[in-house]
Amino acid sequence: MDSQNEVTENEAMENEALANEATPAISVEPSSKKRFESKEKWWRIDKEMVGFKLHFFLLTGALGSVLPFIAVIVKDRLKLSATSFATVLMFEQFFFIFTKPTIGYITDYFNKLKAVLCIVAIGQAIFLFLLLLLPPLPKDPGIKCDPFLKPGN
């Protein structure tokens, strides 16, 4: 009985497929042709994002030309040692742990990506220029930083 039911179900499915020409039982088209028609091109340019990507490209290029000189400015103008500057950079990274998610939350909450990006970029430019205006820190002549000096010399 089960085999008879299977045969009649198969016949019913074949008859239904023949009756409905839109869905043939056997596809005669090569599968590769279908695959290329439905696939989206990998090089499609999203025109809405071009300005956003250009902004980050130019910002990264500008920061790439400025950031290497920050160590020179800190050493010459602020007279900080390499250890002190490394400590400042370490705390900067810990500061970023809190500021980046906060800025992301503000951007998502107000849905004003362009405004937040402009404010952050302008703020960063202002603080980088203010770094040039800092006067050099005076060194105390009574403190000797040479570890090879013997006490009393």
Side-chain angles (χ1 to χ4, degrees):
M1 266 242 190
D2 290 328
S3 63
Q4 253 184 346
N5 284 340
E6 289 177 18
V7 170
T8 56
E9 287 177 12
N10 288 340
E11 287 176 2
M13 287 173 43
E14 288 176 11
N15 289 338
E16 189 178 318
L18 290 174
N20 188 3
E21 292 180 16
T23 57
I26 299 172
S27 176
V28 289
E29 289 186 57
S31 61
S32 62
K33 191 174 186 180
K34 287 181 184 176
R35 191 173 9 160
F36 288 121
E37 289 176 354
S38 65
K39 198 172 190 181
E40 189 175 311
K41 298 174 185 172
W42 64 271
W43 50 268
R44 186 180 69 86
I45 297 173
D46 187 4
K47 292 179 181 160
E48 293 178 8
M49 296 295 291
V50 169
F52 185 71
K53 291 177 181 181
L54 184 66
H55 163 77
F56 272 110
F57 178 74
L58 294 175
L59 179 67
T60 306
L63 288 176
S65 64
V66 170
L67 289 179
F69 294 107
I70 289 185
V72 175
I73 292 169
V74 166
K75 183 179 178 221
D76 291 342
R77 300 209 23 114
L78 298 179
K79 306 290 187 206
L80 287 179
S81 66
T83 307
S84 300
F85 185 56
T87 306
V88 169
L89 291 178
M90 183 182 69
F91 281 112
E92 177 188 41
Q93 294 303 316
F94 284 118
F95 183 66
F96 285 162
I97 291 172
F98 300 109
T99 57
K100 286 187 178 190
T102 304
I103 292 171
Y105 176 77
I106 292 169
T107 302
D108 291 341
Y109 184 78
F110 292 111
N111 200 17
K112 301 283 185 187
L113 179 64
K114 288 182 182 179
V116 171
L117 283 177
C118 287
I119 291 169
V120 169
I122 291 170
Q124 190 172 20
I126 289 170
F127 284 109
L128 284 174
F129 282 118
L130 286 177
L131 186 63
L132 294 173
L133 299 176
L134 289 175
L137 294 175
K139 287 269 186 176
D140 186 12
I143 299 175
K144 302 205 182 213
C145 296
D146 193 2
F148 298 109
L149 287 177
K150 295 181 182 177
N153 286 345

